[in-house]
Amino acid sequence: TGSAGAAQATGFVVDAAQGLILTNRHVVKEGPVVAEAIFDNHEEVILEAVYRDPVHDFGIFRYDPASLRHLPSVAELQLRPDKARQGLDVRVIGNNAGEKLSIL
């Protein structure tokens, strides 16, 4: 079991209509999780952990899209697994050591 604490992480909206955010598995802890997302306009929403993959390094949070009162639309990252090929360059975007945005 993990210990209680606070942390920052990066996630990407992958379905704005359903309010789904994709993040790393370790962010969606086992057991109860209290989490919130902060959007680019600094608006905060409460998150509910909905999935933690047992094998691969991803997890999913859900927020209520109606709770975003000052953000007219949310850009979503379109996932395209059909475009993944061995040997392609990969860009890793995230929250490295508390930085707001890192591109490695």
Side-chain angles (χ1 to χ4, degrees), residues 43-59:
E43 191 166 356
E44 299 177 15
V45 294
I46 301 297
L47 299 178
E48 169 193 7
V50 293
Y51 184 72
R52 183 178 193 270
D53 194 86
V55 176
H56 304 287
D57 186 19
F58 74 91

Side-chain angles (χ1 to χ4, degrees), residues 2 5 8 13 16 26 31-32 35 40 54-55 77 93 100:
Q8 294 179 338
V13 175
H26 71 273
D40 285 340
V55 176
L77 179 68
I93 302 171
K100 181 170 179 165

Side-chain angles (χ1 to χ4, degrees), residues 13 15-21 37 39 45-48 61-68 74-75:
V13 175
D15 189 322
Q18 294 187 56
L20 299 180
I21 296 176
F39 286 82
V45 294
I46 301 297
L47 299 178
E48 169 193 7
F61 282 113
R62 179 183 297 130
Y63 66 93
D64 177 4
S67 66
L68 286 171
V74 175

Side-chain angles (χ1 to χ4, degrees), residues 50-91:
V50 293
Y51 184 72
R52 183 178 193 270
D53 194 86
V55 176
H56 304 287
D57 186 19
F58 74 91
I60 298 175
F61 282 113
R62 179 183 297 130
Y63 66 93
D64 177 4
S67 66
L68 286 171
R69 297 168 31 177
H70 305 289
L71 196 60
S73 65
V74 175
E76 57 185 41
L77 179 68
Q78 184 180 19
L79 302 179
R80 294 296 309 266
D82 59 308
K83 298 288 186 181
R85 301 280 183 267
Q86 185 174 357
L88 288 178
D89 288 338
V90 175
R91 299 280 189 256

